[in-house]
Amino acid sequence: MRVLVCLKQVREPESLFELKDGRVVWPPPDRFRMGSPDDFALEEALRLKDAGLTTELAVVTVGPPGAEAILRRALGMGADRAMHLLAPEGARAAVVAGAIAAWARDEEFDLILAGVMSEDARQGLVGPFLAERLGLATVTGVSQLSLPEDGLLLVERSLEGGRRQALELPLPALVTIASSAHTPRYPSLSNLLKAKKADLPTEAAGEPEEPADGPELVGAAWPARRRAGLCLEGDARQKAEHLLALLRERALL
Amino acid sequence: MSLEQSLQGSGPVVAVAEVREGRLAPLTRELAGLAGRLAALWGVEARLVVLDAAPGEPAATAARQTGLAVTALAAPELPELTGEAVARLLAGFLPAWQPRAIVGGHTTLGLDWAPSLAARLGAACLTGVEGLAEAADGPRFFRPGRHDKLVEEYRIEERTLVLTVQPGAFPAPPEEPLQPGPVTEITLPRPALRVRVREARPGVAADAALARAEVVVAAGLGVGKPENLELVRRVASLFSQAAVAGSRPVCDLGWLGYESQVGLTGATVAPRLYLACGISGARQHTVGMQGAGFIVAISQDPRAAIFQLADVCVVEDLLVFLPMLLELAGAGRGGEGE
């Protein structure tokens, strides 16, 4: 079985961006990492590989130069092959899905995994868009995945209020992962060293087939605070003292 | 329906009801309210579709609660709907109406069908919408961006739009309309489906202690590893009537049981005090706790979304701050002779 995992490079969440005229500006240095839950999707794929169920485990990302760092990390974790499709940071979901579809169409993957949504934009569009383009059976927001012998993929997910749904679908399929019981593993040192030297193939992302007149981002603003948002000052001890005083004042402690 | 076929609807704004286990979910009234506002903005009609194996009763309820014209779409052979089924059924039925927009819930099922439907209709798609404003050139939509740390504003060209709406973002009007809307029932042919529901089972009931707790101390992925939950438990033990809860990933990882999950796929709680430890503040979680009396959030990330709804913000490393809090609280208690 040939498996593909789609990964996205995201800014470290602690990177403090600024807003200038409604646009996000990142102060240097640029700090990136593999987004979550993409890392959970990769871990699920690696477990299929560990179980001897894969003939190949490939990873792909659509992003600017530099985004291949997460591909090297994925190789370090145990992926067999990587592909970097070049596109500007923040490319729209239709563009990302179009780029992956154009490349993956001839690869004939049996199973494609991705995070249910990217860690930063949280739109949840690339997976379903890609499935529609490739004509794959698809389920989103899964937290358990298994492959019994009958050629069907079994998945489970949580619905609103905690209801659980167990679903089956035939391969080839695309499944997006919300989270899972399996903590993403660390890369092994020997794999990382190999991955560092590996020559990663790069292609320019193809033009999307769909008209690109999707929703147009016209600006961004800081959200309104919905409560007081008193920010405690000082060192950890002073903050803890202040918090305890506030809780006692309100008879909460 | 091919991808190339792009809808440019001049027809109604269509809200898609949320039906869970045969009952109309309260979110439906919020969707209908937003559909009504959008329809008024564009000068078109607002309609509601109720898709279910047996839509009669939820459709009647929806007509009474919203006053909109309701179309009950019956899929009698599909007792448990999947995103694939909803996307295919709606992609077969809705194009005849040339909808201007299709409004669904930002829920597990909504996120399962909305992007697929948009792709099938050649429509644009915007998920997690939380706000609407009117500009000279048409409506502006707002959704959270960048780890939910800011609010993004979107404009849409003259093209059919599929959107999913954050539960609770557009409160429904308190009263029911004077006149119930008319209901039309249509039975849809069964589409060819590849995804099959094997089993659906009710969720794990929320922990009774969590439901009645006056203080909830909640852990997010920011606690780092399961061993650190011990700190969270010890902080909870400072209070009487306290319970420990977790965000979705913490429960999916098995660090805490599902009975302790707070959020969209878990429990909704409103304790007097909610102490959020290492929780980023994703909407998935905050819809389950935003009604708490007093919210204290501890995170290392000064821009964490959880701070937007906190009464008190503590920017600190949990592994430094919680032991400090325990030490000082313990000292205070000793002084009171407890």
Side-chain angles (χ1 to χ4, degrees), chain A residues 168-221:
Chain A
E168 62 179 40
L169 62 166
L171 299 176
L174 183 147
V175 168
T176 70
I177 307 286
S179 63
S180 90
H182 308 121
T183 311
R185 67 192 64 185
Y186 285 98
S188 79
L189 191 59
S190 60
N191 277 345
L192 260 189
L193 289 175
K194 255 189 284 172
K196 236 180 172 169
K197 284 184 238 150
D199 216 4
L200 293 190
T202 302
E203 274 179 24
E207 286 294 307
E209 301 155 21
E210 209 183 355
D213 57 342
E216 181 198 349
L217 178 64
V218 292

Short mmCIF file of all heavy atoms in Angstrom, two decimals, chain A residues 168-221:
data_model
loop_
_atom_site.label_atom_id
_atom_site.label_comp_id
_atom_site.label_asym_id
_atom_site.label_seq_id
_atom_site.Cartn_x
_atom_site.Cartn_y
_atom_site.Cartn_z
N GLU A 168 -16.54 2.91 7.75
CA GLU A 168 -15.62 2.16 6.90
C GLU A 168 -15.67 2.74 5.50
O GLU A 168 -16.70 3.23 5.04
CB GLU A 168 -15.99 0.67 6.89
CG GLU A 168 -17.37 0.39 6.32
CD GLU A 168 -17.72 -1.09 6.30
OE1 GLU A 168 -17.37 -1.79 7.27
OE2 GLU A 168 -18.32 -1.52 5.31
N LEU A 169 -14.52 2.70 4.83
CA LEU A 169 -14.47 3.20 3.47
C LEU A 169 -13.43 2.42 2.68
O LEU A 169 -12.45 1.94 3.25
CB LEU A 169 -14.21 4.71 3.42
CG LEU A 169 -12.93 5.33 3.96
CD1 LEU A 169 -12.81 6.75 3.48
CD2 LEU A 169 -12.88 5.31 5.46
N PRO A 170 -13.67 2.28 1.36
CA PRO A 170 -12.74 1.51 0.55
C PRO A 170 -11.53 2.35 0.15
O PRO A 170 -11.61 3.57 0.10
CB PRO A 170 -13.57 1.15 -0.68
CG PRO A 170 -14.53 2.30 -0.82
CD PRO A 170 -14.83 2.77 0.58
N LEU A 171 -10.42 1.70 -0.14
CA LEU A 171 -9.26 2.39 -0.69
C LEU A 171 -9.45 2.47 -2.21
O LEU A 171 -10.11 1.62 -2.77
CB LEU A 171 -7.98 1.61 -0.36
CG LEU A 171 -7.70 1.44 1.14
CD1 LEU A 171 -6.46 0.57 1.34
CD2 LEU A 171 -7.51 2.79 1.81
N PRO A 172 -8.90 3.47 -2.89
CA PRO A 172 -8.10 4.57 -2.34
C PRO A 172 -8.98 5.57 -1.60
O PRO A 172 -10.11 5.80 -1.99
CB PRO A 172 -7.48 5.18 -3.58
CG PRO A 172 -8.42 4.88 -4.70
CD PRO A 172 -9.04 3.55 -4.37
N ALA A 173 -8.39 6.16 -0.56
CA ALA A 173 -9.17 7.05 0.29
C ALA A 173 -8.29 8.17 0.82
O ALA A 173 -7.06 8.07 0.82
CB ALA A 173 -9.75 6.26 1.46
N LEU A 174 -8.95 9.24 1.25
CA LEU A 174 -8.27 10.34 1.93
C LEU A 174 -8.95 10.55 3.27
O LEU A 174 -10.17 10.68 3.33
CB LEU A 174 -8.32 11.62 1.10
CG LEU A 174 -7.57 12.82 1.67
CD1 LEU A 174 -6.99 13.69 0.56
CD2 LEU A 174 -8.41 13.68 2.61
N VAL A 175 -8.16 10.56 4.33
CA VAL A 175 -8.70 10.71 5.68
C VAL A 175 -7.96 11.86 6.36
O VAL A 175 -6.73 11.94 6.28
CB VAL A 175 -8.52 9.40 6.47
CG1 VAL A 175 -8.80 9.61 7.94
CG2 VAL A 175 -9.43 8.31 5.91
N THR A 176 -8.71 12.76 7.01
CA THR A 176 -8.03 13.80 7.77
C THR A 176 -8.14 13.49 9.26
O THR A 176 -9.15 13.01 9.75
CB THR A 176 -8.56 15.22 7.48
OG1 THR A 176 -9.89 15.37 8.01
CG2 THR A 176 -8.58 15.52 5.99
N ILE A 177 -7.04 13.76 9.96
CA ILE A 177 -6.88 13.38 11.36
C ILE A 177 -7.07 14.61 12.25
O ILE A 177 -6.43 15.64 12.03
CB ILE A 177 -5.46 12.81 11.59
CG1 ILE A 177 -5.14 11.68 10.59
CG2 ILE A 177 -5.26 12.36 13.04
CD1 ILE A 177 -5.82 10.37 10.85
N ALA A 178 -7.93 14.48 13.26
CA ALA A 178 -8.12 15.59 14.22
C ALA A 178 -7.08 15.49 15.32
O ALA A 178 -6.45 16.48 15.69
CB ALA A 178 -9.52 15.55 14.80
N SER A 179 -6.93 14.30 15.87
CA SER A 179 -5.88 14.03 16.85
C SER A 179 -5.93 12.54 17.07
O SER A 179 -6.75 11.85 16.47
CB SER A 179 -6.09 14.80 18.16
OG SER A 179 -7.28 14.37 18.78
N SER A 180 -5.05 12.01 17.89
CA SER A 180 -5.08 10.57 18.06
C SER A 180 -4.50 10.19 19.41
O SER A 180 -4.02 11.04 20.16
CB SER A 180 -4.34 9.85 16.94
OG SER A 180 -2.98 9.67 17.28
N ALA A 181 -4.55 8.91 19.70
CA ALA A 181 -4.03 8.41 20.96
C ALA A 181 -2.51 8.28 20.91
O ALA A 181 -1.89 7.96 21.92
CB ALA A 181 -4.67 7.07 21.29
N HIS A 182 -1.92 8.51 19.73
CA HIS A 182 -0.50 8.23 19.55
C HIS A 182 0.31 9.51 19.43
O HIS A 182 0.18 10.24 18.46
CB HIS A 182 -0.29 7.34 18.33
CG HIS A 182 -1.16 6.12 18.35
ND1 HIS A 182 -2.07 5.83 17.37
CD2 HIS A 182 -1.28 5.15 19.28
CE1 HIS A 182 -2.70 4.72 17.68
NE2 HIS A 182 -2.25 4.28 18.84
N THR A 183 1.13 9.78 20.42
CA THR A 183 1.98 10.98 20.41
C THR A 183 2.97 10.88 19.25
O THR A 183 3.62 9.85 19.09
CB THR A 183 2.78 11.06 21.73
OG1 THR A 183 1.86 10.88 22.80
CG2 THR A 183 3.47 12.40 21.87
N PRO A 184 3.08 11.94 18.45
CA PRO A 184 4.05 11.90 17.35
C PRO A 184 5.46 11.61 17.88
O PRO A 184 5.87 12.17 18.89
CB PRO A 184 3.96 13.29 16.74
CG PRO A 184 2.60 13.78 17.11
CD PRO A 184 2.29 13.17 18.45
N ARG A 185 6.17 10.72 17.19
CA ARG A 185 7.49 10.30 17.66
C ARG A 185 8.55 11.36 17.33
O ARG A 185 8.34 12.23 16.49
CB ARG A 185 7.87 8.97 17.00
CG ARG A 185 8.09 9.08 15.50
CD ARG A 185 8.17 7.73 14.85
NE ARG A 185 6.91 6.99 14.97
CZ ARG A 185 6.75 5.73 14.57
NH1 ARG A 185 7.76 5.07 14.02
NH2 ARG A 185 5.59 5.14 14.68
N TYR A 186 9.70 11.24 17.99
CA TYR A 186 10.84 12.08 17.66
C TYR A 186 11.60 11.42 16.52
O TYR A 186 11.62 10.19 16.41
CB TYR A 186 11.75 12.26 18.87
CG TYR A 186 11.18 13.20 19.88
CD1 TYR A 186 10.50 12.73 21.00
CD2 TYR A 186 11.30 14.58 19.69
CE1 TYR A 186 9.95 13.61 21.93
CE2 TYR A 186 10.75 15.46 20.61
CZ TYR A 186 10.08 14.98 21.72
OH TYR A 186 9.53 15.85 22.62
N PRO A 187 12.25 12.24 15.67
CA PRO A 187 13.08 11.65 14.62
C PRO A 187 14.25 10.90 15.25
O PRO A 187 14.71 11.28 16.32
CB PRO A 187 13.58 12.86 13.83
CG PRO A 187 12.84 14.04 14.32
CD PRO A 187 12.29 13.71 15.66
N SER A 188 14.72 9.84 14.59
CA SER A 188 15.91 9.17 15.09
C SER A 188 17.14 9.90 14.55
O SER A 188 17.10 10.48 13.46
CB SER A 188 15.93 7.71 14.66
OG SER A 188 16.36 7.61 13.32
N LEU A 189 18.21 9.89 15.33
CA LEU A 189 19.40 10.64 14.95
C LEU A 189 19.97 10.15 13.62
O LEU A 189 20.31 10.94 12.74
CB LEU A 189 20.45 10.52 16.07
CG LEU A 189 21.63 11.46 15.93
CD1 LEU A 189 21.18 12.92 15.92
CD2 LEU A 189 22.63 11.24 17.07
N SER A 190 20.03 8.83 13.45
CA SER A 190 20.62 8.29 12.22
C SER A 190 19.77 8.66 11.01
O SER A 190 20.29 9.04 9.96
CB SER A 190 20.79 6.78 12.32
OG SER A 190 19.53 6.17 12.53
N ASN A 191 18.45 8.58 11.16
CA ASN A 191 17.56 8.97 10.06
C ASN A 191 17.70 10.45 9.75
O ASN A 191 17.67 10.86 8.59
CB ASN A 191 16.10 8.68 10.42
CG ASN A 191 15.72 7.24 10.16
OD1 ASN A 191 16.45 6.52 9.46
ND2 ASN A 191 14.62 6.81 10.74
N LEU A 192 17.84 11.26 10.82
CA LEU A 192 17.96 12.70 10.61
C LEU A 192 19.22 13.04 9.84
O LEU A 192 19.21 13.88 8.94
CB LEU A 192 18.00 13.41 11.97
CG LEU A 192 16.72 14.07 12.48
CD1 LEU A 192 17.01 14.89 13.71
CD2 LEU A 192 16.06 14.95 11.42
N LEU A 193 20.32 12.36 10.20
CA LEU A 193 21.59 12.62 9.50
C LEU A 193 21.45 12.26 8.03
O LEU A 193 21.89 12.99 7.15
CB LEU A 193 22.72 11.82 10.16
CG LEU A 193 23.12 12.33 11.56
CD1 LEU A 193 24.16 11.41 12.20
CD2 LEU A 193 23.66 13.77 11.47
N LYS A 194 20.79 11.12 7.78
CA LYS A 194 20.55 10.72 6.38
C LYS A 194 19.69 11.75 5.67
O LYS A 194 19.96 12.14 4.53
CB LYS A 194 19.84 9.35 6.35
CG LYS A 194 20.75 8.19 5.94
CD LYS A 194 19.96 6.92 5.71
CE LYS A 194 19.55 6.29 7.04
NZ LYS A 194 18.61 5.16 6.91
N ALA A 195 18.63 12.18 6.37
CA ALA A 195 17.67 13.11 5.76
C ALA A 195 18.33 14.45 5.45
O ALA A 195 18.00 15.12 4.48
CB ALA A 195 16.48 13.32 6.69
N LYS A 196 19.31 14.83 6.30
CA LYS A 196 19.98 16.11 6.12
C LYS A 196 20.70 16.15 4.78
O LYS A 196 20.73 17.17 4.11
CB LYS A 196 20.99 16.31 7.26
CG LYS A 196 20.75 17.59 8.02
CD LYS A 196 21.74 17.76 9.14
CE LYS A 196 21.59 19.13 9.74
NZ LYS A 196 22.33 19.29 10.97
N LYS A 197 21.26 14.99 4.43
CA LYS A 197 22.06 14.93 3.19
C LYS A 197 21.18 14.63 1.98
O LYS A 197 21.61 14.80 0.85
CB LYS A 197 23.14 13.85 3.34
CG LYS A 197 24.31 14.31 4.21
CD LYS A 197 25.40 13.25 4.24
CE LYS A 197 25.68 12.82 5.67
NZ LYS A 197 26.13 11.46 5.83
N ALA A 198 19.96 14.17 2.23
CA ALA A 198 19.12 13.74 1.11
C ALA A 198 18.82 14.91 0.17
O ALA A 198 18.67 16.04 0.62
CB ALA A 198 17.82 13.15 1.64
N ASP A 199 18.77 14.61 -1.11
CA ASP A 199 18.43 15.59 -2.12
C ASP A 199 16.91 15.57 -2.26
O ASP A 199 16.35 14.57 -2.68
CB ASP A 199 19.09 15.18 -3.45
CG ASP A 199 19.53 16.40 -4.20
OD1 ASP A 199 19.40 17.51 -3.67
OD2 ASP A 199 20.01 16.23 -5.35
N LEU A 200 16.26 16.66 -1.85
CA LEU A 200 14.80 16.63 -1.89
C LEU A 200 14.30 17.18 -3.22
O LEU A 200 14.70 18.28 -3.62
CB LEU A 200 14.22 17.47 -0.75
CG LEU A 200 14.44 16.95 0.65
CD1 LEU A 200 13.61 17.73 1.64
CD2 LEU A 200 14.09 15.48 0.73
N PRO A 201 13.44 16.44 -3.89
CA PRO A 201 12.90 16.97 -5.15
C PRO A 201 11.97 18.15 -4.90
O PRO A 201 11.25 18.17 -3.90
CB PRO A 201 12.14 15.78 -5.73
CG PRO A 201 11.87 14.88 -4.59
CD PRO A 201 12.93 15.11 -3.56
N THR A 202 12.04 19.13 -5.76
CA THR A 202 11.23 20.35 -5.65
C THR A 202 10.57 20.60 -6.98
O THR A 202 11.18 20.40 -8.03
CB THR A 202 12.13 21.55 -5.31
OG1 THR A 202 12.80 21.26 -4.09
CG2 THR A 202 11.36 22.83 -5.15
N GLU A 203 9.33 21.01 -6.96
CA GLU A 203 8.64 21.41 -8.19
C GLU A 203 7.87 22.67 -7.89
O GLU A 203 7.40 22.86 -6.77
CB GLU A 203 7.61 20.34 -8.62
CG GLU A 203 8.18 19.22 -9.45
CD GLU A 203 7.10 18.19 -9.79
OE1 GLU A 203 5.91 18.55 -9.80
OE2 GLU A 203 7.47 17.05 -10.04
N ALA A 204 7.70 23.51 -8.92
CA ALA A 204 6.81 24.65 -8.73
C ALA A 204 5.40 24.12 -8.67
O ALA A 204 5.03 23.21 -9.42
CB ALA A 204 6.97 25.61 -9.90
N ALA A 205 4.60 24.64 -7.74
CA ALA A 205 3.22 24.21 -7.64
C ALA A 205 2.48 24.62 -8.91
O ALA A 205 2.64 25.73 -9.40
CB ALA A 205 2.56 24.86 -6.43
N GLY A 206 1.71 23.69 -9.46
CA GLY A 206 0.98 23.97 -10.70
C GLY A 206 -0.12 24.99 -10.47
O GLY A 206 -0.52 25.26 -9.34
N GLU A 207 -0.61 25.57 -11.53
CA GLU A 207 -1.74 26.50 -11.44
C GLU A 207 -2.98 25.74 -11.01
O GLU A 207 -3.21 24.63 -11.48
CB GLU A 207 -1.99 27.15 -12.81
CG GLU A 207 -0.97 28.19 -13.19
CD GLU A 207 -1.03 29.40 -12.26
OE1 GLU A 207 -2.13 29.96 -12.10
OE2 GLU A 207 0.02 29.75 -11.69
N PRO A 208 -3.79 26.30 -10.12
CA PRO A 208 -5.01 25.60 -9.73
C PRO A 208 -5.99 25.51 -10.91
O PRO A 208 -6.04 26.41 -11.74
CB PRO A 208 -5.58 26.46 -8.62
CG PRO A 208 -5.00 27.81 -8.83
CD PRO A 208 -3.67 27.60 -9.48
N GLU A 209 -6.74 24.40 -10.94
CA GLU A 209 -7.69 24.21 -12.04
C GLU A 209 -8.97 24.99 -11.81
O GLU A 209 -9.74 25.22 -12.71
CB GLU A 209 -8.05 22.72 -12.16
CG GLU A 209 -6.85 21.83 -12.40
CD GLU A 209 -7.12 20.41 -11.92
OE1 GLU A 209 -8.29 20.04 -11.78
OE2 GLU A 209 -6.13 19.70 -11.68
N GLU A 210 -9.18 25.36 -10.54
CA GLU A 210 -10.44 25.99 -10.19
C GLU A 210 -10.28 27.49 -10.28
O GLU A 210 -9.21 28.01 -10.03
CB GLU A 210 -10.76 25.61 -8.74
CG GLU A 210 -12.21 25.58 -8.43
CD GLU A 210 -12.42 25.26 -6.95
OE1 GLU A 210 -11.44 24.99 -6.25
OE2 GLU A 210 -13.55 25.30 -6.52
N PRO A 211 -11.34 28.23 -10.63
CA PRO A 211 -11.20 29.69 -10.58
C PRO A 211 -10.77 30.10 -9.18
O PRO A 211 -11.29 29.60 -8.19
CB PRO A 211 -12.60 30.19 -10.90
CG PRO A 211 -13.52 29.02 -10.74
CD PRO A 211 -12.68 27.81 -11.01
N ALA A 212 -9.80 31.00 -9.10
CA ALA A 212 -9.21 31.33 -7.80
C ALA A 212 -9.96 32.45 -7.10
O ALA A 212 -9.46 33.02 -6.15
CB ALA A 212 -7.74 31.69 -7.98
N ASP A 213 -11.17 32.78 -7.57
CA ASP A 213 -11.87 33.91 -6.95
C ASP A 213 -12.63 33.46 -5.72
O ASP A 213 -13.83 33.65 -5.59
CB ASP A 213 -12.82 34.58 -7.96
CG ASP A 213 -13.83 33.59 -8.52
OD1 ASP A 213 -13.59 32.37 -8.41
OD2 ASP A 213 -14.86 34.01 -9.07
N GLY A 214 -11.91 32.83 -4.81
CA GLY A 214 -12.52 32.41 -3.55
C GLY A 214 -12.71 33.63 -2.66
O GLY A 214 -12.58 34.76 -3.12
N PRO A 215 -13.01 33.39 -1.40
CA PRO A 215 -13.13 34.52 -0.50
C PRO A 215 -11.79 35.26 -0.44
O PRO A 215 -10.74 34.64 -0.36
CB PRO A 215 -13.44 33.84 0.85
CG PRO A 215 -13.90 32.47 0.51
CD PRO A 215 -13.21 32.10 -0.76
N GLU A 216 -11.87 36.58 -0.52
CA GLU A 216 -10.64 37.39 -0.56
C GLU A 216 -10.41 38.01 0.81
O GLU A 216 -11.27 38.69 1.34
CB GLU A 216 -10.81 38.47 -1.62
CG GLU A 216 -9.60 39.36 -1.76
CD GLU A 216 -9.96 40.66 -2.48
OE1 GLU A 216 -11.07 40.77 -3.03
OE2 GLU A 216 -9.11 41.57 -2.46
N LEU A 217 -9.21 37.77 1.35
CA LEU A 217 -8.85 38.34 2.65
C LEU A 217 -8.58 39.81 2.47
O LEU A 217 -7.69 40.19 1.73
CB LEU A 217 -7.61 37.61 3.19
CG LEU A 217 -7.05 38.09 4.52
CD1 LEU A 217 -8.04 37.85 5.65
CD2 LEU A 217 -5.74 37.39 4.84
N VAL A 218 -9.37 40.67 3.11
CA VAL A 218 -9.17 42.10 2.93
C VAL A 218 -8.50 42.77 4.12
O VAL A 218 -8.08 43.91 4.03
CB VAL A 218 -10.49 42.84 2.60
CG1 VAL A 218 -10.99 42.44 1.23
CG2 VAL A 218 -11.56 42.57 3.64
N GLY A 219 -8.38 42.06 5.25
CA GLY A 219 -7.71 42.68 6.38
C GLY A 219 -7.79 41.81 7.61
O GLY A 219 -8.45 40.78 7.61
N ALA A 220 -7.08 42.25 8.65
CA ALA A 220 -7.12 41.51 9.91
C ALA A 220 -7.01 42.51 11.05
O ALA A 220 -6.46 43.60 10.88
CB ALA A 220 -5.97 40.51 9.98
N ALA A 221 -7.56 42.15 12.17
CA ALA A 221 -7.54 43.03 13.34
C ALA A 221 -7.39 42.19 14.59
O ALA A 221 -7.67 40.99 14.58
CB ALA A 221 -8.83 43.84 13.40
#
